[in-house]
Amino acid sequence: EYFDPKVNTVVGPNGSGKSNFFKAIRFVLGDLLSTSRSEERRGLLHEGVGHGSSSAYVELVLDNSDGRIPVDGSEVRLRRTISLKKDEYSLDRKHVTKTEVINLLESAGFSRANPYYIVQQGKIRDLAVMTDKNRLELLKEVGGTKIYEERRKESLDLMKDAGLKKKEIEDMLKFFEDKVTELEGDKEELVNYLRLDKQRRVIEYSIFDRDLQSTNTSLQAIEKKREETVSKSNAAHEDMSRAKVERKKAEKDSAQIRAKLDDLKAEQEQLATQKLDETQKKTALGLELEEMKSTGKDSVDVHKSLSSQVAELSRDIEQAKGDLATVEGDMNSYVSQEKQMESDIMQSEQRLQNLYQKEGRKKQFNSKQGRDKWIKQEIKEIQTVLKKKESSLATIEKQHSQASKLSADQEEQIRTQDKQMKERETEQQGILSELKQFRKSKIELQEERKLLWKNESKLEKEITSVKATMQKKERQVDSSVARDIQKGLKSLQKIVHQHKIEGVHGPIIELLECKDTYNTAVEATAGNVLFHVVVDSDEVATKIISHLNRENGGRVSFIPLNRIQAPKVNYPTQYGKDVIPLLKVVKHKPLFQKAMAHVFGRTLLCRTIDLASEVALSANLNCVTLDGDQASHKGSLTGGYYEIRRSKLENMKQLKEIRMKFDDLSSQSGKLKEEISSVDQKVSHILGEIQKHEAKYNRAKNQIQGLSHDLKTLVVQVDANKEQAADRVKSIEDLTLGVMQLKEQHQALSDELGTELVSQLSKKEQEEVKTLNLQVKKMQKDLMELQTKRMEIETEKNQLKTNLDTNLLKQKDSLEGRLSSIGDPKAAETLYKEKGQEIDKIVKAIGIIEAQIGSVEKEVASYQTKLSDLEEVIEKSKAIEASDAAHDQAGELEILTSKKQNLLHKKQDLENKIRDLGSLPSDAFGNHGDKSKKSLLQLQDKVQNQLKKFSHVNKKALDQYMNFTEQRDEYSRRFKEQKREEAKISELIDALDMQKDELLERTFKGVAREFVRTFTELVPQGSGELVMIRSFVQSGQSKAKKYSGVSCKVCFGGEETKKMEQLSGGQKTVVALALIFAIQRCDRAPFYLFDEIDAALDPQYRINVANIISRQANDGQNPTQFIQTTFAPELVKIADHVYGV
């Protein structure tokens, strides 16, 4: 989110990071961390404990819609990035220097001389306590007078340097004038001296020339002898080189065998470890089987005993359930009889009560009407009670019917769930069987994968070794060709692969083969042509060359098969096997016949260089020997020692073999990886199936547990429903009996209604009362007997039920739990067989490992034998290399070389002496040719004695005279130039002083004018002004020295005018703010940053400050962006955008 173009306010508590906005902007603008010391950068990146960042950046997005910044675009992104080692800027993602950033910002209005567009915390306080002198320096800084002062200082330094140079030039000029005057008298003696010196040099030349000729003759003799010694030494060195090559090859093979032995020893250790692991597994399984043997029999006996007890308990439980059912039937019968008898007793007692009430009506009522009225009232109440009881009876009967139906449904559900549980148990057993099979397959596949991993590790190790050898050999091949050709061949492969160019067959060296004997001859003949690339046509070559040019891919030479023709050559036959065409020893495909004929067709292979020279001239063909010595048909001979170890064909042959081996190993590795991938897929599939079956097994187990729980819950519910049903049946019976009694009472009262009111019962009714009394007594007696029998049967029933629930069923559950913990003996027997089979597999694996160990030991013995043979070859080669023949030749050669060096030094000295004699006249070379060396030496002594007379003569007087004269003139010219330069510097200093004073006065006037306006805006009832303090001007003192400070005089609302020292802290802050606003108005910036500038202000001054900021931000002609931090609501109110931190 961008800042608003007008007023932006950042608010937040102390310590929340408000000032970080300003520090970040100051950091990009270069005001913060202007130095590049690593300690400061480290402190800025991270302080405190913990892991710090290695780099950081801040990016400013500047609005450039008005084109203020001289950069294309409406937005400019300026970023500064620092790390521990660098500090750099970027402008719109492009790197720029700090100087460029400073110049760019100054062109946009960010003046370095006036940094008050950023007012940070503490700046107001510093301005408030600033002295008059410091305030003057501030105006100088704002006005930019420091630039003039720096230039004036530079000019004074230049003036001082110019004065020193002038004094130095003046001294040198006087020196050279004295020298020229002194040398004018030595010229005549110098002429005579030069004549005699010329004679001396001519004589010395003759002596030196004779010595030089003698030295050259001696050098020729030594060089001839040295060539003979070199020839012998080369032969000895050739023998040593061959021995060295054989030794290197043997050492290489020896190193490979040692590496193979190390691998075999590592394999031996690995096999021994595997054997130990398998043996430990076998021992552990054996102990486990022994334990299973010892505990298996007891387990079977316990299982049989527990199974027998469970069966016996099951029979007892069935018997107990049968007895319980019989007793419950008897008890139900007695309960029915008891209820029927209680019903009969109640009916009889109700009838007796009715009769007794009828008999007492006469006593109760005085008239028939009174009795009938009471009877009607009783009938009405009985009907009401009867209606309620019949309603209750209907409700209970309905509930009983619904409960009976629910019980039937639950019993059906119990049977269904019991069936489902058995089906789930069967399904669980099937899943468990499949799970065991899958786990067995997983173990087998994992063992197979371990073996494949082992083979893969071994193969990868071998591939790594071969790849390293191949890369080394490729480097050897690459080193034998120029770098641009090497680069071109690599680019060729890339281009052909990327652009799918067909018709490219490769370099000549990859398309031919020959015996090792002919390698040197073939390489000497072909040279760099071995790396020319064979293509089908020139069109293919042109296409590749265009890609090479575009990609700067090096250089490649091509042999297009459509453009070349095989040369027609008549090979000489008179030399027999001593001369054969080189083309015959080069093997290649028929497709490349023309290319091979183009390279080797005009070359013959000869036995010796002498024969080659003869045949080359006679047959007009090039010839080459097996050693690589060449004879051209033009007559030139080329030859010398050829380093066999650097044979390009041999290296290429080895590289091809290594590449074939690498490709074969890579193919094997690919197939092995496919097998491993296939086994991984199978293992993953098996693991997936195991997870699925385990999930199925657990799901079936959970379902069985759920069904078992639900089944038990249903059984409990059915039992509870039965008890509730019994209670409801009893309630129904009680209600039915009550209804019958009410109906009988109702019927009796209805019958009595309207009858005569009598004082005693009729005879029939009296008989009935008597009979009923007897019946009630008899029935009560019978009821007591029934209740006694029913209680006895109920006690027996409770005992049977208690024995069944708390004893027999719990014993059965306990025994079944023990059976479950012991497990199935058949499963234990199966496990025992599986363990035995596992031991058989381990024994078989141990046998395989032992066989592998034996094979590895045989292979180790074979390699050790080969290693011994190679060590013998190495010792023999070392003996040849240590032979004294080469050392003797080297010693003699060293002596001859030393003599030659001495003669060469002597020759060099003589040539230097002749050269030191300088130029001589043309007649000097033959003047003394007939004189002996002795005569020349005598003549030399004579001339030397004559020269001694002129020993005092300045032999360089003439040269010195001319030299000093030229230098005198040069210093005279430089002296005049230096005087002119001093005058110009003095004029520049005066001009700078004048410009500085004018700028200071102009800056002071502008700031003072704006200070008066700004202070009035801040303190409407007050006034203020800036006063320039002038110092005492002495005579001759420059004008720049006449100002000593700037004073502030202000008046706050009717008070007397005061200076800064007389103001309170808040008033000083107001004056400091007025000065800052005045400076900003004189030199406006694109935006301003204020960091809590109102901290020490009173509320009324905060309002005035806010009004100033608001007016300046909304100025129609020159609006300015403000970004400020504050705690005051007065400044928050004017904000166009507020940010909380």
Side-chain angles (χ1 to χ4, degrees):
E1 182 180 354
Y2 292 160
F3 282 118
D4 193 273
K6 294 181 181 179
V7 180
N8 300 270
T9 301
V10 182
V11 296
N14 283 328
S16 61
K18 300 188 298 298
S19 298
N20 289 343
F21 277 110
F22 300 95
K23 288 184 179 179
I25 297 173
R26 289 175 59 205
F27 172 76
V28 179
L29 298 179
D31 184 40
L32 186 65
L33 192 67
S34 58
T35 62
S36 59
R37 290 190 300 173
S38 60
E39 294 82 2
E40 292 187 5
R41 290 199 297 269
R42 185 180 293 107
L44 187 62
L45 287 172
H46 179 70
E47 288 185 355
V49 298
H51 179 69
S53 176
S54 60
S55 66
Y57 74 87
V58 178
E59 183 176 83
L60 291 186
V61 181
L62 302 176
D63 182 12
N64 195 33
S65 57
D66 57 355
R68 180 190 292 266
I69 303 174
V71 176
D72 293 336
S74 60
E75 285 186 358
V76 176
R77 294 180 178 271
L78 180 61
R79 175 183 291 192
R80 183 180 181 185
T81 304
I82 66 164
S83 64
L84 294 177
K85 295 184 178 180
K86 63 181 180 180
D87 183 0
E88 57 188 9
Y89 287 84
S90 63
L91 184 69
D92 289 338
R93 304 294 189 267
K94 296 178 182 178
H95 179 73
V96 292
T97 64
K98 185 176 181 179
T99 303
E100 291 173 338
V101 171
I102 291 172
N103 294 335
L104 192 72
L105 293 175
E106 287 189 346
S107 66
F110 296 99
S111 174
R112 295 181 65 192
N114 182 11
Y116 284 93
Y117 61 89
I118 299 177
V119 182
Q120 54 188 328
Q121 290 185 17
K123 198 69 174 178
I124 303 296
R125 183 183 65 254
D126 294 341
L127 285 174
V129 298
M130 186 176 284
T131 63
D132 295 343
K133 183 179 180 181
N134 290 340
R135 206 172 289 115
L136 176 62
E137 294 300 322
L138 172 63
L139 289 182
K140 287 182 179 180
E141 181 182 358
V142 172
T145 60
K146 283 190 175 180
I147 298 173
Y148 296 104
E149 291 177 353
E150 290 172 359
R151 292 182 63 187
R152 189 178 190 280
K153 183 179 179 183
E154 292 173 359
S155 300
L156 289 173
D157 292 340
L158 289 174
M159 176 77 82
K160 184 177 180 181
D161 293 341
L164 293 174
K165 287 181 180 179
K166 177 182 169 186
K167 182 69 171 60
E168 183 180 350
I169 291 170
E170 190 175 3
D171 293 341
M172 293 300 297
L173 181 61
K174 183 178 180 183
F175 169 77
F176 286 123
E177 286 177 348
D178 294 342
K179 284 291 183 182
V180 169
T181 304
E182 182 182 346
L183 289 172
E184 284 180 350
D186 296 338
K187 287 192 293 183
E188 188 174 344
E189 287 183 353
L190 183 61
V191 172
N192 295 326
Y193 171 78
L194 290 175
R195 179 177 54 77
L196 289 173
D197 185 66
K198 178 180 177 183
Q199 293 178 8
R200 177 189 61 78
R201 289 187 291 117
V202 170
I203 295 169
E204 286 181 354
Y205 171 77
S206 300
I207 295 171
F208 294 155
D209 186 57
R210 288 187 182 183
D211 291 343
L212 182 61
Q213 292 176 4
S214 175
T215 302
N216 285 332
T217 303
S218 300
L219 276 171
Q220 290 174 359
I222 287 175
E223 184 64 27
K224 184 176 180 182
K225 190 173 182 181
R226 184 176 173 278
E227 288 177 357
E228 294 174 357
T229 306
V230 167
S231 178
K232 294 178 183 178
S233 177
N234 286 340
H237 277 293
E238 191 171 339
D239 294 338
M240 291 176 64
S241 297
R242 290 195 187 95
K244 191 173 183 179
V245 170
E246 291 179 359
R247 176 178 61 80
K248 291 280 187 183
K249 187 175 183 302
E251 286 176 348
K252 179 181 176 183
D253 295 340
S254 174
Q256 292 177 350
I257 289 175
R258 284 194 175 91
K260 190 67 177 176
L261 283 172
D262 291 339
D263 293 341
L264 290 172
K265 288 178 181 178
E267 188 174 356
Q268 274 183 320
E269 293 176 358
Q270 186 178 3
L271 290 171
T273 303
Q274 289 180 359
K275 182 180 177 182
L276 179 62
D277 293 341
E278 297 297 332
T279 304
Q280 290 176 348
K281 288 180 183 178
K282 177 187 172 186
T283 303
L285 286 171
L287 293 172
E288 194 173 347
L289 283 175
E290 289 297 326
E291 185 178 355
M292 290 177 71
K293 282 182 181 178
S294 63
T295 59
K297 187 173 182 303
D298 295 338
S299 176
V300 172
D301 293 341
V302 171
H303 191 277
K304 287 181 179 178
S305 175
L306 291 174
S307 298
S308 175
Q309 292 179 35
V310 169
E312 185 176 354
L313 274 172
S314 297
R315 289 194 296 271
D316 292 343
I317 289 169
E318 293 298 325
Q319 179 66 34
K321 286 182 178 179
D323 294 343
L324 182 61
T326 302
V327 170
E328 283 179 346
D330 294 343
M331 191 186 74
N332 290 334
S333 175
Y334 279 110
V335 168
S336 298
Q337 293 178 22
E338 184 178 348
K339 288 181 178 180
Q340 183 62 42
M341 191 168 290
E342 286 176 348
S343 177
D344 294 342
I345 290 172
M346 288 178 64
Q347 290 178 358
S348 298
E349 287 179 345
Q350 184 65 37
R351 179 60 181 166
L352 283 173
Q353 185 178 1
N354 292 336
L355 291 173
Y356 287 145
Q357 289 176 352
K358 182 178 180 182
E359 185 179 7
R361 295 281 191 269
K362 183 67 175 175
K363 296 178 181 180
Q364 187 178 359
F365 302 102
N366 296 322
S367 63
K368 176 181 177 183
Q369 289 82 7
R371 184 202 63 182
D372 290 344
K373 183 179 179 182
W374 176 82
I375 290 174
K376 288 179 181 179
Q377 184 65 30
E378 285 294 316
I379 289 172
K380 186 176 180 181
E381 292 177 358
I382 289 171
Q383 286 176 346
T384 301
V385 174
L386 181 62
K387 187 175 181 181
K388 289 180 180 180
K389 286 196 174 185
E390 285 177 346
S391 175
S392 299
L393 179 61
T395 301
I396 294 174
E397 286 177 344
K398 184 178 179 181
Q399 290 177 352
H400 182 65
S401 175
Q402 292 175 349
S404 299
K405 184 178 180 182
L406 178 62
S407 296
D409 293 340
Q410 288 177 337
E411 289 175 354
E412 179 62 28
Q413 192 175 358
I414 288 172
R415 288 190 292 273
T416 303
Q417 288 191 354
D418 185 58
K419 182 180 178 182
Q420 288 178 355
M421 189 168 65
K422 290 178 180 178
E423 290 174 354
R424 292 290 181 274
E425 288 175 348
T426 304
E427 181 184 353
Q428 186 183 31
Q429 291 300 320
I431 293 170
L432 186 60
S433 176
E434 291 177 359
L435 189 59
K436 288 180 180 179
Q437 187 62 36
F438 280 127
R439 285 173 176 165
K440 181 180 178 183
S441 301
K442 183 191 77 170
I443 294 171
E444 293 174 353
L445 287 171
Q446 285 176 338
E447 291 297 326
E448 182 182 356
R449 184 168 63 177
K450 285 180 183 178
L451 181 61
L452 290 173
W453 281 345
K454 176 185 173 184
N455 295 335
E456 183 189 27
S457 176
K458 185 177 179 182
L459 191 60
E460 288 295 332
K461 192 174 182 181
E462 189 173 359
I463 287 174
T464 302
S465 175
V466 172
K467 185 177 181 180
T469 307
M470 182 175 69
Q471 291 174 344
K472 182 179 178 182
K473 190 58 65 177
E474 286 176 345
R475 288 194 295 271
Q476 290 180 355
V477 172
D478 291 341
S479 65
S480 63
V481 65
R483 182 166 294 180
D484 57 341
I485 298 176
Q486 172 187 340
K487 182 179 178 182
L489 292 174
K490 290 183 178 178
S491 300
L492 173 69
Q493 296 176 357
K494 181 180 177 182
I495 290 169
V496 171
H497 177 72
Q498 283 183 348
H499 301 281
K500 298 180 180 179
I501 300 175
E502 297 181 353
V504 181
H505 304 290
I508 290 287
I509 193 172
E510 295 182 3
L511 304 178
L512 63 83
E513 291 181 358
C514 64
K515 293 182 180 179
D516 296 342
T517 311
Y518 305 123
N519 282 349
T520 305
V522 172
E523 291 181 23
T525 300
N528 283 335
V529 178
L530 286 172
F531 297 96
H532 288 191
V533 178
V534 178
V535 294
D536 284 345
S537 64
D538 53 346
E539 183 181 352
V540 175
T542 304
K543 188 183 297 184
I544 295 173
I545 289 172
S546 65
H547 288 298
L548 286 172
N549 289 332
R550 276 198 300 270
E551 299 176 7
N552 191 20
R555 299 186 63 80
V556 179
S557 298
F558 294 94
I559 301 178
L561 295 177
N562 68 327
R563 286 300 185 96
I564 60 172
Q565 297 294 330
K568 296 179 180 179
V569 181
N570 294 322
Y571 297 112
T573 58
Q574 64 270 28
Y575 301 102
K577 294 183 178 180
D578 290 338
V579 178
I580 60 173
L582 185 61
L583 188 60
K584 288 186 177 180
V585 305
V586 177
K587 297 179 182 178
H588 55 81
K589 292 182 180 180
L591 176 63
F592 310 124
Q593 175 63 30
K594 289 198 296 183
M596 299 302 169
H598 174 73
V599 178
F600 304 105
R602 297 189 59 81
T603 303
L604 298 172
L605 181 62
C606 302
R607 189 173 298 279
T608 63
I609 185 63
D610 296 330
L611 181 60
S613 178
E614 178 186 345
V615 173
L617 294 175
S618 62
N620 196 27
L621 295 172
N622 298 326
C623 297
V624 65
T625 66
L626 292 174
D627 294 330
D629 298 330
Q630 294 175 282
S632 173
H633 67 280
K634 296 180 180 179
S636 63
L637 297 177
T638 306
Y641 175 71
Y642 192 84
E643 180 60 65
I644 301 174
R645 292 177 299 173
R646 302 187 65 178
S647 172
K648 301 172 186 175
L649 289 172
E650 179 63 25
N651 287 336
M652 180 57 69
K653 180 181 177 182
Q654 294 176 3
L655 180 58
K656 287 180 180 178
E657 292 174 354
I658 293 171
R659 282 176 175 170
M660 289 176 62
K661 185 175 181 181
F662 180 77
D663 293 339
D664 182 51
L665 291 173
S666 298
S667 176
Q668 294 179 27
S669 176
K671 292 178 180 177
L672 195 59
K673 281 181 171 27
E674 289 178 0
E675 292 181 16
I676 292 173
S677 177
S678 175
V679 173
D680 284 338
Q681 290 177 0
K682 291 179 180 177
V683 170
S684 299
H685 176 70
I686 290 293
L687 290 173
E689 291 297 328
I690 288 174
Q691 290 178 353
K692 289 179 182 177
H693 281 70
E694 285 178 346
K696 287 181 180 178
Y697 180 81
N698 292 328
R699 191 161 54 248
K701 182 178 179 182
N702 292 333
Q703 288 176 351
I704 290 170
Q705 291 176 351
L707 289 170
S708 176
H709 179 267
D710 294 343
L711 195 62
K712 290 179 180 179
T713 303
L714 286 171
V715 170
V716 170
Q717 289 178 355
V718 168
D719 291 341
N721 289 338
K722 286 181 179 180
E723 293 179 357
Q724 292 175 1
D727 294 338
R728 283 194 295 272
V729 169
K730 185 176 181 182
S731 298
I732 290 171
E733 292 175 350
D734 293 341
L735 285 171
T736 303
L737 183 59
V739 168
M740 289 176 62
Q741 291 176 349
L742 288 171
K743 285 182 178 179
E744 290 178 357
Q745 187 177 0
H746 180 274
Q747 185 62 41
L749 290 172
S750 298
D751 292 342
E752 187 181 355
L753 185 65
T755 60
E756 294 295 331
L757 183 63
V758 293
S759 58
Q760 59 182 3
L761 297 174
S762 64
K763 273 189 174 183
K764 184 179 179 181
E765 288 175 340
Q766 289 177 357
E767 287 295 327
E768 185 179 359
V769 168
K770 186 176 181 181
T771 302
L772 287 173
N773 283 326
L774 292 174
Q775 287 178 353
V776 167
K777 289 181 180 179
K778 183 176 183 302
M779 284 190 292
Q780 286 177 344
K781 182 179 179 183
D782 293 339
L783 178 61
M784 290 180 65
E785 291 177 356
L786 280 173
Q787 287 177 343
T788 302
K789 290 181 180 180
R790 191 260 302 165
M791 292 175 66
E792 290 175 355
I793 292 173
E794 188 174 2
T795 302
E796 184 181 359
K797 173 206 166 189
N798 291 334
Q799 289 175 351
L800 287 172
K801 187 170 181 61
T802 301
N803 183 44
L804 181 64
D805 292 339
T806 61
N807 185 19
L808 296 177
L809 290 174
K810 287 189 177 181
Q811 285 185 21
K812 184 180 179 183
D813 290 340
S814 176
L815 291 173
E816 286 177 346
R818 290 177 62 187
L819 274 174
S820 176
S821 63
I822 292 173
D824 189 0
K826 292 181 179 180
E829 185 178 357
T830 302
L831 181 62
Y832 183 83
K833 289 180 181 179
E834 290 177 354
K835 296 289 183 182
Q837 291 173 357
E838 194 171 349
I839 286 180
D840 293 339
K841 287 182 181 179
I842 292 173
V843 171
K844 185 177 179 182
I846 291 173
I848 295 172
I849 292 171
E850 289 175 345
Q852 290 176 347
I853 291 173
S855 175
V856 170
E857 288 175 348
K858 289 180 182 179
E859 198 171 352
V860 167
S862 173
Y863 278 119
Q864 286 176 342
T865 304
K866 291 180 182 179
L867 186 61
S868 300
D869 296 338
L870 288 172
E871 287 176 349
E872 290 180 5
V873 173
I874 292 170
E875 292 300 325
K876 289 179 181 178
S877 299
K878 285 183 178 179
I880 295 172
E881 291 181 44
S883 175
D884 293 334
H887 294 291
D888 293 342
Q889 297 296 334
E892 186 177 354
L893 185 62
E894 186 176 354
I895 293 171
L896 291 172
T897 303
S898 177
K899 290 181 179 180
K900 180 181 177 182
Q901 289 296 327
N902 292 333
L903 289 172
L904 287 172
H905 285 310
K906 184 177 179 182
K907 178 182 177 182
Q908 184 68 33
D909 290 340
L910 290 170
E911 289 177 346
N912 290 336
K913 288 178 180 179
I914 292 173
R915 191 181 300 110
D916 292 340
L917 292 174
S919 61
L920 296 172
S922 59
D923 58 349
F925 298 104
N927 284 346
H928 305 289
D930 55 344
K931 294 179 182 179
S932 63
K933 184 175 181 180
K934 183 177 179 181
S935 300
L936 291 171
L937 291 172
Q938 290 175 354
L939 186 59
Q940 182 186 21
D941 292 339
K942 182 180 177 181
V943 174
Q944 288 286 1
N945 289 330
Q946 291 177 354
L947 285 170
K948 288 180 181 178
K949 297 177 183 179
F950 297 95
S951 59
H952 64 282
V953 174
N954 184 0
K955 301 171 182 62
K956 297 182 180 180
L958 186 59
D959 293 339
Q960 288 177 351
Y961 179 80
M962 299 302 294
N963 186 28
F964 287 153
T965 301
E966 291 176 359
Q967 292 191 39
R968 180 193 63 186
D969 296 340
E970 174 66 20
Y971 274 99
S972 178
R973 181 186 62 78
R974 290 173 59 186
F975 181 76
K976 293 177 181 178
E977 289 181 354
Q978 202 67 35
K979 288 182 69 176
R980 288 195 296 270
E981 186 177 348
E982 277 188 348
K984 290 181 180 179
I985 293 173
S986 180
E987 292 175 1
L988 176 62
I989 291 173
D990 293 340
L992 289 174
D993 289 341
M994 185 180 299
Q995 291 175 4
K996 183 181 72 172
D997 290 344
E998 290 175 355
L999 181 61
L1000 179 59
E1001 290 176 0
R1002 187 166 57 251
T1003 302
F1004 172 75
K1005 290 178 181 179
V1007 173
R1009 182 177 60 253
E1010 294 298 334
F1011 179 79
V1012 172
R1013 295 176 183 173
T1014 306
F1015 189 82
T1016 304
E1017 292 176 8
L1018 287 174
V1019 187
Q1021 302 300 322
S1023 62
E1025 62 175 340
L1026 294 179
V1027 179
M1028 178 68 78
I1029 302 173
R1030 299 175 185 271
S1031 63
F1032 180 75
V1033 180
Q1034 297 180 356
S1035 175
Q1037 190 176 6
S1038 70
K1039 189 178 180 182
K1041 298 290 184 177
K1042 67 182 180 180
Y1043 303 120
S1044 62
V1046 175
S1047 175
C1048 289
K1049 293 183 178 181
V1050 294
C1051 174
F1052 283 86
E1055 297 178 359
E1056 62 179 6
T1057 302
K1058 297 180 180 179
K1059 293 185 178 181
M1060 288 293 290
E1061 297 81 4
Q1062 299 171 319
L1063 299 178
S1064 65
Q1067 291 174 338
K1068 287 181 179 180
T1069 301
V1070 172
V1071 175
L1073 280 173
L1075 182 58
I1076 287 176
F1077 283 127
I1079 292 171
Q1080 290 177 350
R1081 289 180 179 181
C1082 287
D1083 187 7
R1084 292 183 180 273
F1087 63 83
Y1088 294 105
L1089 306 178
F1090 290 164
D1091 191 2
E1092 297 184 14
I1093 62 171
D1094 59 328
L1097 290 178
D1098 293 335
Q1100 67 269 23
Y1101 296 130
R1102 288 199 186 100
I1103 295 172
N1104 295 336
V1105 169
N1107 292 334
I1108 291 175
I1109 293 173
S1110 178
R1111 281 195 299 272
Q1112 196 163 337
N1114 294 281
D1115 189 353
Q1117 294 181 351
N1118 191 12
T1120 307
Q1121 183 185 40
F1122 286 88
I1123 304 171
Q1124 59 181 355
T1125 63
T1126 184
F1127 290 104
E1130 293 84 359
L1131 292 179
V1132 175
K1133 289 179 181 179
I1134 65 166
D1136 296 285
H1137 208 142
V1138 180
Y1139 298 89
V1141 180

